Amino acid sequence: MKRRLLQNDSYIQLVLLHIGLGLIFFIFKPFSKIFFLIIMGYFLYRIVMSTPSKLTMNVLLGCAYFTGIEILFRMTKGGLAYEASKYLVVVFVLIGMFYRGVSGKGYAYFIYLVLLIPSIVVASVTLTLDAKFRSNITFVLSGPVCLGLAALFCYDRKVTYQQLHKLILYILLPIISTTTYLFLYTPSIKDRLSGTASNAALSGGFGPNQVSTILGLGIFCVVVRLVLKSPNVFLKSLNLILLAAMTFRAIVTFSRGGVLAAGLVIAAFFATVVFRLKVKRLVPLFGSVFLLVSILAITWVVSSNQTRGLIDKRYANQDALGREKKDLTTGRLDLFIEEVDGFLESPFLGIGASRVKNKRVQETGQQLPSHNELGRLLSEHGILGIICILILVFKPLTLRTNNRRNIFFFSFLAFWFATINHSGIRIAAPAVLYALALLNVTYDTSHNKRQIPNNRNAQPQIVSEQ
């Protein structure tokens, strides 16, 4: 009991610390660069100096934290490079693989990485002279490479159930800082309204799609803590406040992708929990669901009021005057069709990495990157892209048939799949969440007698720790 109380105190302190961090980022933006260097050095030191038994967890913690804080660094221009978080995830897992190796069962992800290479060769021929070859290739392949290497490192690697919760916490904490920064950046929503389109002014001056995506991930993390890590009224109240704050800021970005992805991920989480619980343990779960639905309903009403009803029209696919828009996907379907045309144009090796974006610049003068990773893989990688898609979809499912202990498996995969279909892999989050789905979760019964013994398909008794 004393150990749990100390953990809860630590959680409260960490939440307050990261709220303060968001405040400092807003007041003194240069601190963002300082903090980036501090935490980069901190995690590199922890990883390099780790004992063998702690190396895996330190690598994963570094990946988790930079996943959560990536958008805040982009907003405040704190990273050494725009894609810095992806690069650091790659560096962390490469160090981990150097010291600990990889599972031989994860060879499919090595094949996936190799299959990305031909598109670079093709691009050297197909990209126009005015295209910046290195930066364009890096932009489109940094996400897939990050995913492949993270998956290769995580595949069948053992972590405990409690360590998995710690990873979720490390993702959540910097998203709390991001949410704080957003409230400070635009305290008045009504003053910055501009119709029903995605609103950068309400997204910290940054891309609404990416901000909505990371807040959606934060919403899921808070829900996990609300259901599984809130043993008393105070912690439930704290997590409900965090949930309301993140949900509100995600909604008022006017970017639907991250909000809808959060809904899908939470649905997958609850479906897994309900399926694993015995009937007598559903009552505490229903209590959490009631609180969750209530706070989300209140948050929506507040959001509707603050946006003068524009958010209702946004989700009804209407413009500011209430007229229904022709395209529910806000142009994404047309982009996907263009990518399919690229596949038909060159079905074997594809049209080359970044060629889709390059063609749009030629034909329309607009620099429109792909919003759909599956379509991009088809067009730029051809048949090799189809093989990549098959590996990404079916390899985790084969792992799941032999190991069903990761209760967040479907939630992590749902986040990856939803995100790559509305935003691609522009941020590290879908790559890292995909990789976390491949972990081999074990249950340590020495600290919690209510957890089931560690057999091949053991499951925790999923209730709030009281």
Side-chain angles (χ1 to χ4, degrees), residues 310-324:
L310 289 177
I311 197 64
D312 302 270
K313 294 177 180 179
R314 172 64 169 169
Y315 279 80
N317 196 41
Q318 298 174 348
D319 63 16
L321 297 177
R323 298 171 299 195
E324 186 172 354

Side-chain angles (χ1 to χ4, degrees), residues 248-325:
F248 174 71
R249 294 309 310 199
I251 290 172
V252 300
T253 63
F254 282 81
S255 179
R256 297 168 293 188
V259 177
L260 297 177
L264 177 64
V265 174
I266 292 169
F269 168 63
F270 276 116
T272 304
V273 170
V274 170
F275 183 74
R276 297 301 176 193
L277 281 182
K278 295 180 180 178
V279 175
K280 65 180 181 179
R281 295 193 176 276
L282 288 176
V283 175
L285 177 64
F286 287 148
S288 297
V289 172
F290 175 77
L291 289 173
L292 175 64
V293 172
S294 298
I295 200 68
L296 292 179
I298 294 171
T299 304
W300 181 268
V301 172
V302 173
S303 302
S304 179
N305 175 267
Q306 289 295 304
T307 60
R308 298 190 176 98
L310 289 177
I311 197 64
D312 302 270
K313 294 177 180 179
R314 172 64 169 169
Y315 279 80
N317 196 41
Q318 298 174 348
D319 63 16
L321 297 177
R323 298 171 299 195
E324 186 172 354
K325 297 180 181 179

Side-chain angles (χ1 to χ4, degrees), residues 108-381:
Y109 293 106
F110 178 76
I111 295 174
Y112 162 81
L113 289 167
V114 171
L115 293 178
L116 298 176
I117 296 174
S119 70
I120 301 174
V121 179
V122 175
S124 67
V125 177
T126 59
L127 286 181
T128 58
L129 294 175
D130 60 331
K132 297 179 181 178
F133 182 80
R134 184 189 61 81
S135 60
N136 282 336
I137 297 298
T138 301
F139 180 79
V140 297
L141 291 184
S142 60
V145 169
C146 178
L147 185 152
L149 290 173
L152 196 59
F153 176 76
C154 289
Y155 191 86
D156 203 31
R157 201 170 292 273
K158 290 184 178 181
V159 298
T160 67
Y161 174 67
Q162 295 303 327
Q163 286 176 329
L164 192 58
H165 273 289
K166 190 172 183 180
L167 293 174
I168 292 174
L169 174 63
Y170 269 55
I171 294 173
L172 170 63
L173 290 172
I175 301 179
I176 293 173
S177 300
T178 304
T179 306
T180 304
Y181 181 88
L182 289 170
F183 273 103
L184 295 170
Y185 189 89
T186 46
S188 175
I189 302 300
K190 293 180 179 179
D191 294 339
R192 308 303 288 270
L193 296 174
S194 59
T196 60
S198 297
N199 194 321
L202 297 175
S203 307
F206 191 67
N209 191 286
Q210 295 181 38
V211 175
S212 172
T213 298
I214 205 66
L215 290 175
L217 176 57
I219 291 168
F220 163 68
C221 294
V222 174
V223 169
V224 168
R225 291 204 67 89
L226 176 65
V227 176
L228 302 179
K229 291 287 186 179
S230 299
N232 56 55
V233 174
F234 179 81
L235 283 176
K236 280 185 171 65
S237 301
L238 173 61
N239 287 321
L240 285 171
I241 292 171
L242 293 175
L243 177 62
M246 287 184 188
T247 303
F248 174 71
R249 294 309 310 199
I251 290 172
V252 300
T253 63
F254 282 81
S255 179
R256 297 168 293 188
V259 177
L260 297 177
L264 177 64
V265 174
I266 292 169
F269 168 63
F270 276 116
T272 304
V273 170
V274 170
F275 183 74
R276 297 301 176 193
L277 281 182
K278 295 180 180 178
V279 175
K280 65 180 181 179
R281 295 193 176 276
L282 288 176
V283 175
L285 177 64
F286 287 148
S288 297
V289 172
F290 175 77
L291 289 173
L292 175 64
V293 172
S294 298
I295 200 68
L296 292 179
I298 294 171
T299 304
W300 181 268
V301 172
V302 173
S303 302
S304 179
N305 175 267
Q306 289 295 304
T307 60
R308 298 190 176 98
L310 289 177
I311 197 64
D312 302 270
K313 294 177 180 179
R314 172 64 169 169
Y315 279 80
N317 196 41
Q318 298 174 348
D319 63 16
L321 297 177
R323 298 171 299 195
E324 186 172 354
K325 297 180 181 179
K326 293 181 180 179
D327 185 7
L328 180 64
T329 66
T330 58
R332 285 177 173 81
L333 180 59
D334 292 336
L335 296 179
F336 182 77
I337 292 173
E338 289 179 15
E339 287 158 358
V340 173
D341 290 340
F343 171 76
L344 296 176
E345 176 187 326
S346 183
F348 296 105
L349 293 178
I351 60 177
S354 193
R355 176 59 177 154
V356 167
K357 178 182 175 182
N358 185 221
K359 285 183 67 176
R360 288 177 187 139
V361 172
Q362 283 183 288
E363 295 170 3
T364 67
Q366 295 180 304
Q367 298 220 13
L368 293 174
S370 176
H371 285 261
N372 189 299
E373 188 64 19
L374 300 182
R376 193 196 65 77
L377 282 170
L378 282 174
S379 63
E380 297 185 357
H381 300 264

